[in-house]
Amino acid sequence: MSSKYIPRSKAPGRKARKSRSAAGNDFVDKMPSITRLRGKIMEYFREHPNTPVNYKQIAAAIGVHGDVAYEVVSELVASLSDEKIIQRSGRGKYFYKAPSKSLEGIFRRTGGRGHNSFVPDDGGAPIRIAERNSRNAMDGDRVVIQLHAKRRGTAPEGEVVQVIERVEANFVGRLEVNNGVAFLLTESNKLANDIFIPDRFVRGAKDGDKVIVRVVEWKEGAKNPVGEVIDVIGRAGENDTEMHAILAEFGLPYVYPKEVEEAADRIDEQSAYDPKYNREDFREVPTLTIDPKEAKDFDDALSYRVLEDGNLEVGVHIADVTAYVHDNDIIDKEAQKRATSVYLVDRTVPMLPERLCNDLCSLRPNEDRPAFSVIFKLDKEAKILDYRIVRTVIHSDARLAYEEAQAVIEGGEGVFKDEILALNALAQKLRAERFANNAIDFDRSELKFEIDEAGKPIAVKSVVSKEANKLIEEFMLLANRTVARHIGKAEAGKKAPVFVYRVHDLPDPEKLQNLSEFVMRFGYKLKYMGTPSATAKSINALLDAVQGKPEEKLVETITIRTMAKATYTVDNIGHYGLGFEYYTHFTSPIRRHPDMLVHRLLTHYLAGGKNVDKRAYEQMCEHDSAMENTAAQAERASIKYKQVEYMMDRIGQEYEGVISGVTDWGLYVEIIENGCEGLVSIRELDDDYYEFDVKNYCLRGFHKKKTYSLGEKVTIRVADADLERKQLDFTLV
């Protein structure tokens, strides 16, 4: 084989243009950001320690020249000297002396260009590692780093000096074979280089195949790792291949094990009606499901009736999955591993075998089904008078899509109108009470694609939740909170048993302070000091105040970013965003493993069972939280892929957009009309050097002081749509 190969560029954005001349300024390329320019200067100094140079020598070495470039380089060098990162040697020259402190720990690539970090073994804060200083380290490798001199007001940085232990790493991409030389063109942000595949490791894969490759070697000093093909997914560009590739990229399964499906096929449907479950019969009570129109797995239903005493009864009925899937059986082990169903744009990758999720456990209309239920007795003001948690048998009378239920709510006519209108009235009162108790009101839209038979998107729009969605949401929240409180609130003098909670921590105080300072420029106040409920009340007041204002999307976006991420744990700290002291996930056991754990623990404790092993359940919670995050990343990747695919026919068209993200490599802009997001590379901003202002969420020009801020409206032109990178490139108009 020939070894001649030039890997493709991995940088986000469009390819660099050829050099151009401008009055008094001659640049080899479009202007880099201040951050990137500073990085190039420091890279030069680190590669040439103890070598005195002046700013013109540095400018020439990093490939910039002209009056403006010299001025910027001179100021940056002087700044680095003031911050004691480099030292002055006299006569306008400077040199760098490398620090000696080194640390051992784990190298992490968190996605995105140069977003690498080092997690030290001593438990200290993560340390940023620029791509140029990563020394062939891969995500998860054990490494030794050397700390760099720290600039005032910035996070610490370092560089990898030794890779001690490699992790096993698989990557997905397109196989490219040129003149008998095979490389994997990787799609992952977690590897900056393509992978060389020797002949003996190609395993029959052909040029243009989407494959999974395992890295087997990456020698010191080698530009490319060596890998072997471990699976051929299919031909690049085919819809099924691309969706499977997204799943494989995140380590998620794209086929269901045959032996698990066969085990599901052998399940006796009547086993869930064993007398030991002591089911209450709700088959004569009016019951319905309301779900997305494309849904096949119906894991929740609502029943409604007026009681003899004039009060109301609402049953929240949940698919009784654990009556069919038993602890540690083959199906349960697969569910534990997967932890969640994955919802890509054009398909669902289920946690459970199809016979369970779409048949036995799905609360389909006009069929008897076993359920695990929370039965509420309420007055007409939605005050909970009593409840019971029981196993039931139900018979759904109707399957409605959200749009059908919404039409009933808005028009007052239609199937089960009395039940739907009564349930909606109760849900609105429950919702009002929740916000009165300082739940935070984030009402976000989501993208919905219309897909043709070949999987190609033919339309995309942004959809907001309406009353029908919120009706179901409120009763699910009520059931989840009730189950968590039933187990978690211990009697006086007793300790609550181990249970699985869905928790949401308080916002980071520093982020809240930054948000408060930021919104002050628009004339808003945010109280970030005080009790959690007072802060939540102030956040809601802020979100109400910005409604309909030009800065609405900007403030909402930044406010969401101050929030912690909800997770699963056995240590209850409450759910800040919902304003609940106790909360869990009970209502979706078909698609979430934590809900199955909750069903089992609930059954165990209701039967008088003893406490369980806390450590074992915490480990399962940690796994489920991690898999939830991984699944969300895959879902976002599929949305991005379909966005790019949709926009491929719209190259050159102009759209109004909103700046949705600001980074040191450019601006992300979301098109208002369809929600598609693309990158305006900082190299396209060629009228100045731009610096990323983290605190103020903007790019700011070095000389002209022009800013591009998060939430600002702009007009863009679609410049490129790259399916392989799942990236749209825009230019400003």
Side-chain angles (χ1 to χ4, degrees):
M1 284 190 176
S2 164
S3 61
K4 234 174 146 182
Y5 177 76
I6 300 175
R8 78 200 191 293
S9 170
K10 299 286 290 186
R14 303 175 69 194
K15 292 180 181 178
R17 297 183 184 177
K18 293 180 180 179
S19 61
R20 69 181 182 90
S21 294
N25 289 310
D26 195 16
F27 294 95
V28 296
D29 204 340
K30 287 205 168 187
M31 295 186 184
S33 69
I34 295 294
T35 304
R36 198 141 295 165
L37 198 59
R38 183 186 285 117
K40 286 185 174 182
I41 293 170
M42 280 308 305
E43 181 179 11
Y44 174 82
F45 273 118
R46 288 180 186 127
E47 289 177 353
H48 303 83
N50 304 313
T51 305
V53 288
N54 61 37
Y55 73 89
K56 287 189 177 181
Q57 290 172 306
I58 296 167
I62 65 175
V64 296
H65 41 85
D67 295 342
V68 173
Y70 289 155
E71 182 183 348
V72 174
V73 171
S74 176
E75 289 190 25
L76 289 174
V77 169
S79 174
L80 291 170
S81 175
D82 290 342
E83 294 169 13
K84 311 297 184 188
I85 295 173
I86 59 177
Q87 299 178 35
R88 189 186 296 269
S89 67
R91 288 188 255 177
K93 291 191 175 185
Y94 303 84
F95 69 96
Y96 174 73
K97 185 176 180 180
S100 58
K101 186 175 181 181
S102 62
L103 297 169
E104 186 174 326
I106 302 299
F107 180 81
R108 287 294 179 196
R109 293 181 184 270
T110 54
R113 181 178 175 183
H115 283 201
N116 308 326
S117 62
F118 168 82
V119 182
D121 287 344
D122 63 10
I127 296 166
R128 185 178 182 275
I129 309 291
E131 184 61 46
R132 61 186 175 274
N133 297 321
S134 63
R135 200 185 183 94
N136 293 358
M138 295 189 294
D139 186 53
D141 283 353
R142 173 163 290 279
V143 300
V144 175
I145 72 158
Q146 187 176 74
L147 283 176
H148 289 160
K150 188 177 181 299
R151 300 197 340 257
R152 286 195 303 270
T154 64
E157 291 192 36
E159 65 178 297
V160 176
V161 294
Q162 183 184 1
V163 177
I164 301 173
E165 183 181 347
R166 290 280 189 200
V167 294
E168 183 172 319
N170 296 339
F171 294 92
V172 178
R174 177 171 56 84
L175 191 71
E176 184 176 277
V177 183
N178 287 319
N179 299 320
V181 181
F183 276 85
L184 181 78
L185 308 188
T186 58
E187 299 169 2
S188 173
N189 282 330
K190 294 191 174 183
L191 186 66
N193 306 73
D194 297 328
I195 302 172
F196 171 62
I197 316 293
D199 244 351
R200 67 187 184 279
F201 290 155
V202 172
R203 315 287 194 214
K206 297 178 176 61
D207 182 51
D209 281 347
K210 270 283 170 71
V211 299
I212 304 175
V213 165
R214 180 174 69 89
V215 173
V216 296
E217 183 182 48
W218 198 350
K219 289 183 177 178
E220 183 75 22
K223 186 168 186 179
N224 301 93
V226 176
E228 64 174 334
V229 175
I230 60 173
D231 196 15
V232 178
I233 301 171
R235 295 299 292 172
E238 295 178 358
N239 187 63
D240 280 350
T241 297
E242 297 299 340
M243 294 301 103
H244 289 166
I246 286 172
L247 293 166
E249 178 185 347
F250 293 97
L252 297 170
Y254 49 89
V255 293
Y256 214 93
K258 185 179 179 181
E259 62 272 19
V260 181
E261 290 184 327
E262 289 174 346
D265 291 339
R266 292 193 297 268
I267 291 175
D268 177 8
E269 181 175 355
Q270 294 305 309
S271 63
Y273 299 97
D274 188 290
K276 70 181 180 182
Y277 293 116
N278 194 26
R279 297 190 182 277
E280 290 191 26
D281 194 341
F282 268 73
R283 287 177 291 182
E284 299 302 317
V285 183
T287 303
L288 55 99
T289 62
I290 304 175
D291 291 278
K293 62 182 178 182
E294 66 274 9
K296 294 179 182 178
D297 53 342
F298 313 131
D299 52 13
D300 59 81
L302 296 178
S303 66
Y304 173 85
R305 63 181 168 184
V306 179
L307 300 173
E308 291 182 359
D309 62 4
N311 288 311
L312 312 174
E313 181 189 83
V314 175
V316 180
H317 305 284
I318 306 303
D320 197 351
V321 171
T322 56
Y324 289 120
V325 181
H326 302 298
D327 189 20
N328 221 30
D329 69 13
I330 188 172
I331 301 173
D332 187 49
K333 287 178 179 177
E334 185 67 22
Q336 285 181 40
K337 189 191 306 180
R338 293 177 177 239
T340 180
S341 294
V342 184
Y343 293 86
L344 305 186
V345 169
D346 68 338
R347 70 195 62 203
T348 298
V349 183
M351 179 181 75
L352 297 172
E354 186 174 352
R355 184 168 185 246
L356 285 168
C357 60
N358 291 350
D359 183 4
L360 295 186
C361 296
S362 184
L363 307 182
R364 302 191 301 196
N366 305 313
E367 297 183 31
D368 291 354
R369 283 291 181 263
F372 213 154
S373 308
V374 186
I375 311 300
F376 295 98
K377 181 178 180 180
L378 311 90
D379 64 18
K380 293 179 181 178
E381 296 305 311
K383 181 180 178 182
I384 309 300
L385 305 176
D386 197 7
Y387 72 89
R388 64 187 189 277
I389 301 171
V390 292
R391 279 188 146 110
T392 60
V393 55
I394 68 168
H395 186 96
S396 175
D397 300 293
R399 176 268 195 267
L400 281 76
Y402 281 119
E403 293 82 358
E404 295 171 311
Q406 187 62 32
V408 173
I409 291 169
E410 292 176 358
E413 296 294 334
V415 63
F416 284 92
K417 68 172 185 178
D418 293 338
E419 288 82 2
I420 291 173
L421 293 174
L423 286 167
N424 188 54
L426 291 171
Q428 288 184 336
K429 288 169 181 165
L430 289 169
R431 185 174 176 84
E433 181 186 10
R434 192 160 57 83
F435 289 125
N437 290 329
N438 297 317
I440 298 177
D441 188 10
F442 287 121
D443 201 1
R444 302 285 287 174
S445 61
E446 61 177 313
L447 286 182
K448 289 288 184 182
F449 291 84
E450 185 179 342
I451 305 290
D452 67 15
E453 292 181 357
K456 185 174 181 178
I458 55 178
V460 57
K461 60 182 179 180
S462 186
V463 178
V464 296
S465 293
K466 294 188 176 181
E467 287 173 286
N469 305 79
K470 294 172 183 177
L471 183 165
I472 295 299
E473 178 186 28
E474 286 306 319
F475 284 107
M476 297 306 111
L477 291 174
L478 179 61
N480 288 332
R481 178 179 58 166
T482 301
V483 166
R485 191 174 185 275
H486 186 85
I487 300 298
K489 187 173 177 59
E491 296 178 12
K494 292 186 178 180
K495 186 178 180 181
V498 171
F499 199 58
V500 172
Y501 298 96
R502 179 69 167 179
V503 301
H504 184 225
D505 206 349
L506 303 177
D508 181 85
E510 185 177 347
K511 289 183 178 179
L512 276 178
Q513 183 177 353
N514 290 341
L515 174 63
S516 176
E517 293 171 359
F518 181 76
V519 299
M520 281 181 66
R521 71 184 62 187
F522 298 105
Y524 303 112
K525 290 185 178 180
L526 175 68
K527 296 178 181 177
Y528 62 91
M529 302 289 286
T531 65
S533 61
T535 301
K537 186 175 182 179
S538 184
I539 289 172
N540 277 333
L542 172 64
L543 295 174
D544 287 341
V546 299
Q547 290 292 315
K549 305 288 178 59
E551 62 271 15
E552 176 184 356
K553 191 173 183 67
L554 167 63
V555 173
E556 284 183 350
T557 299
I558 297 173
T559 303
I560 287 173
R561 292 178 184 177
T562 67
M563 296 292 113
K565 184 172 177 58
T567 59
Y568 298 105
T569 181
V570 296
D571 295 315
N572 182 38
I573 59 170
H575 197 293
Y576 180 75
L578 295 173
F580 293 157
E581 187 178 358
Y582 301 92
Y583 191 65
T584 190
H585 274 169
F586 164 80
T587 54
S588 294
I590 289 178
R591 62 184 179 89
R592 292 190 306 227
H593 181 250
D595 301 52
M596 291 176 63
L597 295 178
V598 166
H599 281 219
R600 286 207 183 101
L601 288 172
L602 193 55
T603 300
H604 178 71
Y605 293 139
L606 290 176
K610 294 181 179 180
N611 208 351
V612 297
D613 182 0
K614 180 176 181 178
R615 181 178 296 179
Y617 274 87
E618 181 61 22
Q619 287 176 346
M620 285 188 280
C621 285
E622 289 174 358
H623 172 73
D624 289 349
S625 295
M627 291 302 294
E628 176 191 30
N629 184 54
T630 300
Q633 291 180 61
E635 290 161 16
R636 286 194 293 270
S638 80
I639 290 170
K640 194 67 188 175
Y641 184 91
K642 292 301 179 185
Q643 285 181 338
V644 176
E645 190 176 20
Y646 177 74
M647 296 300 292
M648 286 181 74
D649 298 330
R650 292 158 178 81
I651 304 295
Q653 294 186 20
E654 295 181 4
Y655 295 91
E656 295 299 309
V658 175
I659 296 175
S660 54
V662 183
T663 71
D664 62 1
W665 60 82
L667 307 168
Y668 286 94
V669 177
E670 182 181 303
I671 296 173
I672 295 171
E673 177 183 317
N674 56 36
C676 294
E677 185 182 63
L679 173 69
V680 178
S681 172
I682 200 163
R683 293 181 179 276
E684 295 293 336
L685 307 177
D686 57 358
D687 61 330
D688 203 346
Y689 281 90
Y690 281 87
E691 184 167 23
F692 178 33
D693 184 339
V694 179
K695 194 169 184 178
N696 292 297
Y697 309 95
C698 71
L699 289 180
R700 179 175 285 105
F702 188 80
H703 288 282
K704 300 177 183 178
K705 306 304 179 185
K706 179 178 176 60
T707 61
Y708 292 99
S709 299
L710 192 68
E712 182 181 335
K713 287 188 177 181
V714 293
T715 302
I716 60 92
R717 180 180 295 112
V718 182
D720 191 21
D722 189 328
L723 269 178
E724 197 154 30
R725 291 187 297 132
K726 303 183 193 71
Q727 183 168 301
L728 291 170
D729 290 325
F730 297 158
T731 55
L732 295 179
V733 177

